[in-house]
Amino acid sequence: MKKIKYIIALTLLAFIAPSCKKVIDLEPISNTGTEDFYKNYTETNVALTGCYNGLHEPLYNEWMFTELRGDNSYQGSTGSSAVANTELDELDMFTLNPSHDKVYDYWLSTYKNIRAINYVLKSIGVNYQGGNITITDGTAQMNAQQKNEIAGEALFLRAYHYFNLVRLYGGVFVITEPVDPKTAKQRDRNTVEECYQLITADLLKAKELLPSKTFSQLNISNLGRANIWAVKSLLAKVYLTLDRKADALPLLNDVIDNSGYDLLSSYEDVFSINNEMNKEIIFAVRYKGGGLGLGSPFANLFAPTGSGNAVVNNDGNGYNDPTESIKMVYKTPFTGPSDVRKNVNIGQYSPTVSYVKKFTSQVINRYDAENDFPIIRFSDVLLMKAEAVGFDGADGTSVSIINKIRERAGAADYPGTGNFNSVFYKYPATGANAIDETTFNDALFNERRLEFAFENQRYFDILRSGDALETIRANFAQEYDSHYSKYRPVVTLEDLQDYVTEGRLLLPIPQREIDTNDQIKISQNTGYF
C-alpha cells in the first residue's frame, strides 16, 4: 500500500534541488499567459501530485489552531520565554494579535497551495462563476476520464482548503483562478456564505466527476488520492457545519452502505505504519520517510523535550501537550473494561510528562517519520450519521452508532448495577444511565473527542456543537490550578475566561495581508485591533 508514496516521491524528486529541501516549489508558472499553462495529462498530473504534497505545509501548524485552542492540549512549558513557546501561549490563551507569525504562516501556505490547484484547474478548463462549476476546453490535452479524475481531485483539494480557512478565519478571499499581484490586491474578503457557496460547488461537481469504485476496487497506485467517498464525506461535514442535516444524511448513508470502507477491529491498527491507507482511512495526508523531504514532522514535534532517543530518535519539541482533562476523560480503571484509545493516543514519558503518541514511529532523520495523517476516517462518517439523525431514542440508531464506536474501543455492556462512570461501558437502552435528548449532544461530542483526539478535529467539533465559549472557559477552570496558575506574571482564571470572546473564536486576518494592500481597506475580524 506504499506504492503511491514511492510514486509521489519519485515524481517530486525531479523538482528537488540537490539540497533536497523540504519545501518543493511546483509552481513553475510565473504569469497568467495562456501559453504557460500545462499542456498534457502528464504535466497536469505531476502538478496535481505537487498539490497533494502542498497539503504538508499547512498541516505543519494546523494543530495549533485545532487542538491547542480547544481542550485537548496546551503549551506545556509555563516558564519558557522562547519565541516559539510564547507564540503557542498566545494561541492557547486567546491573547494573540493579528501579527502572529503562525497565523500568517498557515494562511500563506494554504493560499500557496490553492494557487497551485487553480493552475491545474485552469489548465483543464474548469471555471467557477455565480456558484457554479463549468468545464470547457483547457490548454492540457487528455481523454475525458483523465480530465474528470484530475478535475474531481483538484476540486476536492480546493474545497478542503477553503473549508479549513472559513472555519478558522471566517470570510476569506475566494480566489478560483490564477491572478497577478495587482489584481489580487483589488479583491476584498468574501462573506462566509460566499465561501461556502464555492466549497459546496466544488464538492458537488467533484461528486459528479469521480468514479464510484468501492474500496476493494481502488487501484493500489491511487491510494492516497481523493475519491468519490472522500468527496461525499467532506460534503456531509460541510452540510453538518451549515446545520443542513437532512442534506448530509443521504451522503453518509451512501458512504456507509456502498463504499466498502469499514471500521477495523483494532483501533491501534488504524494508525500503524504497516497498515497505511487501510479500509478505515477514507482520506489522509500522506508522508514518506527516508530522507526524501516528504517525512512527517509530528513524531519529533510532539515527543517530549529532553527525551533524547527514548520516544523517538533525535529528541522532541514537546509541543501539543495533552491536557489533564483529555487524559481523565478516557476511562481506564485498574480492573474492568478500559478504553484502549488512551494508550494509542497518549504516551507517558515520565510520571509527570505525557505526549501525543498516535503519530509516532521511529525515524533516522529528525522530522522524517512515516506516519500518514488521517483527515477522514470511517468512524467519522458513522458519528456524523449519528449527528445528522439526532437523538432518536436510547435504543435508536444514533446511540447504537456511538456504542459501536465504544465497543471497538473496549466498552462492555452495562450490567445494570454498579457505578456506570467507574469503568468503560456502552450506554444502556434503559435506566438512569441511558442517553436522553438533553444528554445526547454531550455524549456524541465526547465520543468524537475520544475517537479523534489530536487529529485536528476537536476545535471544529467544539464550534459545531454550539457550546464553544462554555467548553473553552470550562477547560481553563479545570486546568487552572495544575497548569495556568503557574505562569509568571500571574494570569487569573477570570482574565483567561474573559479573553475568550465570540469574535476571538475566529483567528485574525493576518496583519501583513492588511498592511501590504495599497488598493483597498481589508476589514479585520471582531475582537482584534
Side-chain angles (χ1 to χ4, degrees):
M1 291 193 177
K2 293 178 184 284
K3 185 175 180 182
I4 185 64
K5 286 193 174 185
Y6 288 101
I7 291 173
I8 291 174
L10 291 171
T11 303
L12 291 177
L13 280 174
F15 293 88
I16 302 175
S19 62
C20 213
K21 64 181 181 179
K22 181 170 183 177
V23 178
I24 300 166
D25 185 3
L26 283 181
E27 300 173 16
I29 299 172
S30 59
N31 59 63
T32 57
T34 304
E35 70 278 4
D36 292 309
F37 288 101
Y38 306 114
K39 302 295 195 304
N40 53 48
Y41 172 73
T42 300
E43 289 181 5
T44 312
N45 192 44
V46 167
L48 180 61
T49 300
C51 297
Y52 280 101
N53 183 65
L55 300 175
H56 289 184
E57 196 173 352
L59 193 59
Y60 188 93
N61 291 325
E62 191 174 281
W63 63 271
M64 301 178 189
F65 316 125
T66 54
E67 298 292 343
L68 191 64
R69 276 167 54 90
D71 53 2
N72 280 354
S73 68
Y74 46 43
Q75 198 287 100
S77 302
T78 56
S80 174
S81 60
V83 172
N85 287 334
T86 299
E87 288 179 335
L88 296 177
D89 286 336
E90 292 168 349
L91 286 164
D92 185 6
M93 299 183 190
F94 288 73
T95 59
L96 73 162
N97 64 53
S99 297
H100 197 284
D101 280 346
K102 294 301 182 286
V103 171
Y104 181 65
D105 289 347
Y106 184 85
W107 173 279
L108 188 63
S109 60
T110 302
Y111 270 108
K112 176 185 174 183
N113 206 40
I114 289 172
R115 177 179 182 268
I117 294 165
N118 284 339
Y119 271 118
V120 169
L121 291 169
K122 193 69 173 176
S123 294
I124 55 177
V126 177
N127 300 287
Y128 173 77
Q129 189 171 15
N132 295 303
I133 301 289
T134 58
I135 303 179
T136 58
D137 292 333
T139 57
Q141 301 301 307
M142 60 190 73
N143 65 44
Q145 179 183 341
Q146 291 170 333
K147 187 171 185 175
N148 286 348
E149 291 185 356
I150 285 183
E153 291 178 36
L155 287 167
F156 170 87
L157 295 178
R158 186 169 72 180
Y160 163 77
H161 277 315
Y162 272 111
F163 189 36
N164 285 342
L165 284 174
V166 72
R167 289 183 294 174
L168 290 173
Y169 297 90
V172 294
F173 302 93
V174 171
I175 308 295
T176 60
E177 59 184 15
V179 294
D180 60 77
K182 183 178 180 180
T183 302
K185 287 185 176 183
Q186 295 168 353
R187 299 280 186 91
D188 203 350
R189 293 175 64 184
N190 290 82
T191 65
V192 169
E193 292 74 19
E194 288 168 336
C195 293
Y196 276 110
Q197 187 178 48
L198 169 68
I199 293 164
T200 53
D202 280 357
L203 293 173
L204 287 169
K205 177 56 72 171
K207 184 165 71 74
E208 292 179 15
L209 297 173
L210 292 173
S212 291
K213 295 181 179 179
T214 65
F215 175 76
S216 63
Q217 294 172 328
L218 294 176
N219 189 318
I220 192 170
S221 65
N222 287 332
L223 292 178
R225 288 184 176 265
N227 58 40
I228 193 168
W229 310 112
V231 170
K232 291 180 178 182
S233 301
L234 186 62
L235 181 56
K237 185 165 287 189
V238 171
Y239 284 149
L240 287 179
T241 303
L242 296 174
D243 199 25
R244 294 171 56 178
K245 295 179 180 179
D247 293 321
L249 187 56
L251 292 167
L252 297 166
N253 282 332
D254 191 12
V255 176
I256 292 167
D257 296 339
N258 301 313
S259 69
Y261 287 91
D262 204 349
L263 291 180
L264 298 190
S265 59
S266 165
Y267 183 77
E268 183 176 16
D269 285 350
V270 176
F271 310 100
S272 170
I273 62 172
N274 299 312
N275 191 34
E276 294 175 318
M277 298 312 297
N278 55 70
K279 67 178 180 178
E280 187 162 333
I281 305 294
I282 296 176
F283 186 72
V285 175
R286 305 220 65 192
Y287 289 93
K288 179 77 191 96
L292 299 167
L294 297 171
S296 167
F298 301 115
N300 290 105
L301 286 178
F302 299 160
T305 303
S307 58
N309 297 330
V311 173
V312 63
N313 287 340
N314 305 308
D315 207 358
N317 293 52
Y319 294 157
N320 210 12
D321 280 17
T323 59
E324 291 304 309
S325 68
I326 184 64
K327 287 184 282 186
M328 292 171 61
V329 77
Y330 289 101
K331 294 179 181 178
T332 55
F334 290 111
T335 59
S338 184
D339 193 333
V340 302
R341 294 174 294 195
K342 182 178 183 179
N343 287 334
V344 176
N345 295 335
I346 302 172
Q348 200 69 35
Y349 171 62
S350 72
T352 59
V353 178
S354 56
Y355 64 95
V356 175
K357 181 182 176 184
K358 74 194 307 178
F359 308 117
T360 301
S361 64
Q362 198 50 266
V363 302
I364 296 175
N365 303 310
R366 191 169 169 83
Y367 308 128
D368 192 33
E370 182 72 19
N371 310 71
D372 294 339
F373 197 100
I375 303 299
I376 304 171
R377 295 201 276 119
F378 190 77
S379 57
D380 192 4
V381 173
L382 290 174
L383 289 172
M384 282 196 286
K385 177 175 179 177
E387 187 177 345
V389 171
F391 182 69
D392 59 344
D395 59 349
T397 298
S398 295
V399 176
S400 70
I401 288 173
I402 296 173
N403 279 336
K404 183 176 183 178
I405 301 299
R406 290 172 76 84
E407 183 176 29
R408 194 264 295 267
D413 291 328
Y414 179 57
T417 59
N419 185 351
F420 178 80
N421 294 314
S422 64
V423 293
F424 190 41
Y425 290 125
K426 291 181 284 184
Y427 294 103
T430 59
N433 298 299
I435 298 175
D436 58 25
E437 192 165 5
T438 61
T439 59
F440 171 75
N441 202 55
D442 288 343
L444 174 64
F445 282 96
N446 178 68
E447 203 59 41
R448 291 187 61 85
R449 185 184 184 192
L450 296 166
E451 180 73 12
F452 308 116
F454 313 111
E455 294 179 41
N456 295 355
Q457 298 214 41
R458 179 57 178 169
Y459 192 72
F460 297 139
D461 282 352
I462 290 173
L463 293 178
R464 200 168 70 251
S465 73
D467 297 322
L469 292 177
E470 294 80 359
T471 299
I472 296 167
R473 289 169 180 167
N475 179 66
F476 282 145
Q478 186 170 355
E479 304 290 334
Y480 185 78
D481 288 341
S482 63
H483 180 71
Y484 293 102
S485 65
K486 298 177 182 178
Y487 277 92
R488 297 294 180 269
V490 174
V491 56
T492 68
L493 175 58
E494 183 180 10
D495 283 343
L496 273 176
Q497 293 177 326
D498 285 346
Y499 294 148
V500 188
T501 64
E502 192 70 37
R504 282 181 167 257
L505 291 176
L506 293 175
L507 296 172
I509 301 300
Q511 191 63 39
R512 272 181 275 188
E513 195 71 47
I514 295 173
D515 291 344
T516 58
N517 194 316
D518 56 6
Q519 301 292 311
I520 61 173
K521 173 78 172 169
I522 298 171
S523 62
Q524 182 55 273
N525 284 333
T526 304
Y528 297 100
F529 306 98

